[in-house]
Amino acid sequence: MSLSLRGNKAADSILRFDLETFFEAVQNLYHKEFNPDGTFPLNVAENKLCWTELKTKMQEITAREPIPDWVSRYTSAMGHHTVRQVIANFLSRHLTGCPMNPDNIGMSAGATSVIEMTSMVLGDPGDVAVFPAPCYPVYKADIGHKAGVERYDLITHHELSEIQNGPALQISHLEKTLEDIHSQGKRFRFLVLTTPDNPTGGAFDFDQLITIADWCIKKGIHLIVNEIYGLSLIDTSHPDLREDYPNHPKFKSFANIMAEKQSDFLHLWYAFSKDFGASGFRIGLVYSHNKKFLKAYGNFNAPNMVSNYTQWVFERVLKDDDFITHYIKTNQQRLTESYATAIQVFRELDIPYIPAVGSLFIWIDLSEFLNDQTQAAENEFWLELYRKTGILLTPGEGFGHSKKGQFRVVYPCVPLEDLKVALGRFKDFVNMRRNIAVI
Ligand SMILES: Cc1ncc(COP(=O)(O)O)c(C=O)c1O
């Protein structure tokens, strides 16, 4: 055996169930002129709608400004102090609406690293972290690989209709989960909420968050809120969409609750990967008032630091507040336009979906097409859809939910014009499957 036990286990496992098919799909991407029969991989959480604007801004900066000397040196493992100051100002002005202290920020190479480092600091091997289902599949690897923390998928509902107005998590669910984990002789160490959520796009109501925060503090359980989609918001007053939002909470940052409670048990995650369509830059951060947590985080973080050049480029971009304000607005307009286009098709076809307040996703229910309600049937259908239409959705497997046949659509990872072609193919497929002749 040439590898460690750990290495062998990693070599024998798969990173993501849909990765192989994704790599196949990207070899044959749709192009209006050159490959009209090509594929649409709508399964990876990327926003490509505003990269041109961000790229132009970065090119202007890097062509014009001299690189400061600190970029070439070792700097704080938590991020360079000027960068953290600029990020604190940015967060305060655009995401949280409350003062943010740069000393409470720890930066790592993307949210993935932040999740891993946080798990290392908070959890021991065998401890349990709880996630309301359905939930981002990769959390399992991020909390498990190094820290050895186990993922618990908390089921709060079965049908999409039960979470039309946002996540259904209540204290009774948490009490029951705590009991269940205790009965297994384990420790409920932290709860992770993603808002807006991946994959449902729902946002936690602010009062609901306060209640959950109070419960966690009382029980000595850490509560971490991941706001990685906090600026990827849908315009819920859009005339074609507003009927879907009769009673929806508006997104309001958890940082406000942290500021009020000043508790060692409350933490926030953010990254520039999604709201800025910049997943390749690898910039994520944790925000916490817990000084001991931050000290430990800094001592673990050296292998996960964000490159200083990347920090500098982003610092310069974030400093131009007019650009940022315009960028966020444009991004939200484009997200809304693409989202509304997709929703129109799902409504027309009577496909159940959850109205998203934000994120890059639409969570849909295609269970009517499954031969039976099993994981195997779900995977079979997912592949059939891809083989017949070239559309690759994110499969439900790994999201940890009880109902089979639910899939995630990543709508901003292709331009709107291409999305329309994909939706046209989807429509034909659904009609064909329902035995309705395509005219
Ligand atoms: C909820 C959530 N957290 C974390 C990540 C990972 O982000 P990053 O690319 O910054 O590591 C993702 C990516 O899809 C995500 O959806």
Side-chain angles (χ1 to χ4, degrees), residues 45 110-112 115 136 139 194 198 226 228-229 271 273-274 279 282:
T112 302
I115 297 163
Y136 173 57
Y139 277 137
T194 310
N198 176 0
N226 187 352
I228 190 168
Y229 298 101
S273 308
K274 315 295 177 177
S279 47
R282 314 306 301 138

Side-chain angles (χ1 to χ4, degrees), residues 14 18 40 78 224 240 256 275 313 320 353 364 381 384:
I14 49 167
D18 54 345
F40 296 97
M78 299 295 261
I224 309 156
D240 296 344
N256 293 279
D275 292 341
V313 173
D320 184 345
Y353 64 91
I364 57 175
F381 171 76
E384 179 196 336

Side-chain angles (χ1 to χ4, degrees), residues 4-159:
S4 63
L5 288 176
R6 202 187 297 121
N8 265 305
K9 202 170 148 204
D12 291 339
S13 62
I14 49 167
L15 185 60
R16 257 177 86 144
F17 170 75
D18 54 345
L19 219 51
E20 219 174 285
T21 321
F22 172 72
F23 288 136
E24 180 193 306
V26 293
Q27 296 302 315
N28 180 29
L29 288 179
Y30 168 83
H31 187 281
K32 193 178 169 186
E33 282 168 48
F34 305 122
N35 195 17
D37 296 327
T39 64
F40 296 97
L42 306 182
N43 60 324
V44 174
E46 286 187 319
N47 173 4
K48 298 188 185 150
L49 300 181
C50 286
W51 168 234
T52 307
E53 283 78 0
L54 186 60
K55 182 169 68 173
T56 307
K57 180 73 188 162
M58 286 178 171
Q59 280 172 343
E60 266 171 36
I61 289 167
T62 50
R64 191 183 62 222
E65 297 195 22
I67 303 171
D69 289 342
W70 64 262
V71 163
S72 70
R73 306 201 189 113
Y74 289 121
T75 46
S76 163
M78 299 295 261
H80 190 254
H81 64 277
T82 61
V83 180
R84 281 191 286 156
Q85 181 63 64
V86 169
I87 288 181
N89 295 347
F90 155 79
L91 291 173
S92 169
R93 182 156 156 66
H94 296 284
L95 183 77
T96 70
C98 62
M100 301 292 280
N101 181 350
D103 296 336
N104 294 349
I105 292 176
M107 297 170 67
S108 299
T112 302
S113 289
V114 172
I115 297 163
E116 194 171 67
M117 286 303 98
T118 305
S119 307
M120 291 279 285
V121 176
L122 297 182
D124 290 309
D127 277 347
V128 177
V130 174
F131 303 81
C135 187
Y136 173 57
V138 189
Y139 277 137
K140 182 170 192 273
D142 298 345
I143 63 167
H145 277 167
K146 287 192 189 144
V149 175
E150 293 170 14
R151 167 170 169 155
Y152 183 107
D153 291 298
L154 196 175
I155 309 283
T156 59
H157 63 282
H158 191 63
E159 299 294 338

Side-chain angles (χ1 to χ4, degrees), residues 138-393:
V138 189
Y139 277 137
K140 182 170 192 273
D142 298 345
I143 63 167
H145 277 167
K146 287 192 189 144
V149 175
E150 293 170 14
R151 167 170 169 155
Y152 183 107
D153 291 298
L154 196 175
I155 309 283
T156 59
H157 63 282
H158 191 63
E159 299 294 338
L160 294 196
S161 55
E162 295 169 68
I163 54 164
Q164 289 290 302
N165 292 328
L169 184 67
Q170 288 173 9
I171 298 303
S172 54
H173 296 123
L174 292 170
E175 290 283 4
K176 205 160 153 278
T177 301
L178 181 60
E179 231 173 80
D180 188 22
I181 293 169
H182 277 170
S183 74
Q184 296 170 34
K186 295 181 176 171
R187 194 163 62 147
F188 181 166
R189 199 63 184 126
F190 56 94
L191 169 68
V192 176
L193 307 178
T194 310
T195 185
D197 184 37
N198 176 0
T200 66
F204 278 85
D205 177 74
F206 195 64
D207 289 337
Q208 186 184 13
L209 276 183
I210 294 174
T211 310
I212 295 169
D214 285 338
W215 183 85
C216 286
I217 294 167
K218 199 166 100 204
K219 301 286 179 189
I221 292 169
H222 292 271
L223 169 60
I224 309 156
V225 178
N226 187 352
E227 296 185 354
I228 190 168
Y229 298 101
L231 296 172
S232 300
L233 301 178
I234 299 297
D235 174 8
T236 55
S237 66
H238 187 287
D240 296 344
L241 297 172
R242 61 178 166 231
E243 70 188 71
D244 270 354
Y245 303 96
N247 194 19
H248 271 69
K250 283 243 175 292
F251 169 79
K252 186 173 173 187
S253 176
F254 182 61
N256 293 279
I257 298 172
M258 290 173 65
E260 198 201 309
K261 310 256 173 220
Q262 294 289 322
S263 165
D264 280 351
F265 288 98
L266 308 182
H267 319 272
L268 180 81
W269 288 333
Y270 186 70
F272 291 93
S273 308
K274 315 295 177 177
D275 292 341
F276 285 81
S279 47
F281 283 83
R282 314 306 301 138
I283 314 176
L285 62 96
V286 64
Y287 188 84
S288 176
H289 294 289
N290 184 330
K291 295 293 173 209
K292 198 168 176 189
F293 168 88
L294 290 165
K295 176 94 194 302
Y297 192 101
N299 286 342
F300 273 142
N301 198 42
N304 300 286
M305 288 167 65
V306 183
S307 112
N308 281 352
Y309 185 75
T310 301
Q311 289 191 47
W312 172 66
V313 173
F314 247 84
E315 177 190 53
R316 304 312 296 167
V317 172
L318 294 175
K319 266 197 140 172
D320 184 345
D321 198 58
D322 289 344
F323 170 80
I324 293 296
T325 304
H326 183 255
Y327 182 92
I328 293 169
K329 195 166 157 230
T330 307
N331 188 39
Q332 292 181 355
Q333 276 166 352
R334 289 183 191 166
L335 280 175
T336 303
E337 208 181 333
S338 290
Y339 175 82
T341 304
I343 289 300
Q344 200 184 345
V345 172
F346 296 139
R347 278 185 191 160
E348 223 177 279
L349 293 171
D350 223 358
I351 300 286
Y353 64 91
I354 298 180
V357 167
S359 80
L360 313 179
F361 317 115
I362 306 171
W363 185 241
I364 57 175
D365 184 348
L366 301 178
S367 56
E368 67 168 282
F369 300 110
L370 265 49
N371 293 331
D372 58 76
Q373 301 301 309
T374 60
Q375 193 57 60
E378 180 184 286
N379 295 347
E380 198 182 308
F381 171 76
W382 169 74
L383 211 52
E384 179 196 336
L385 177 70
Y386 170 63
R387 295 280 176 236
K388 291 196 173 145
T389 63
I391 299 167
L392 191 64
L393 303 181

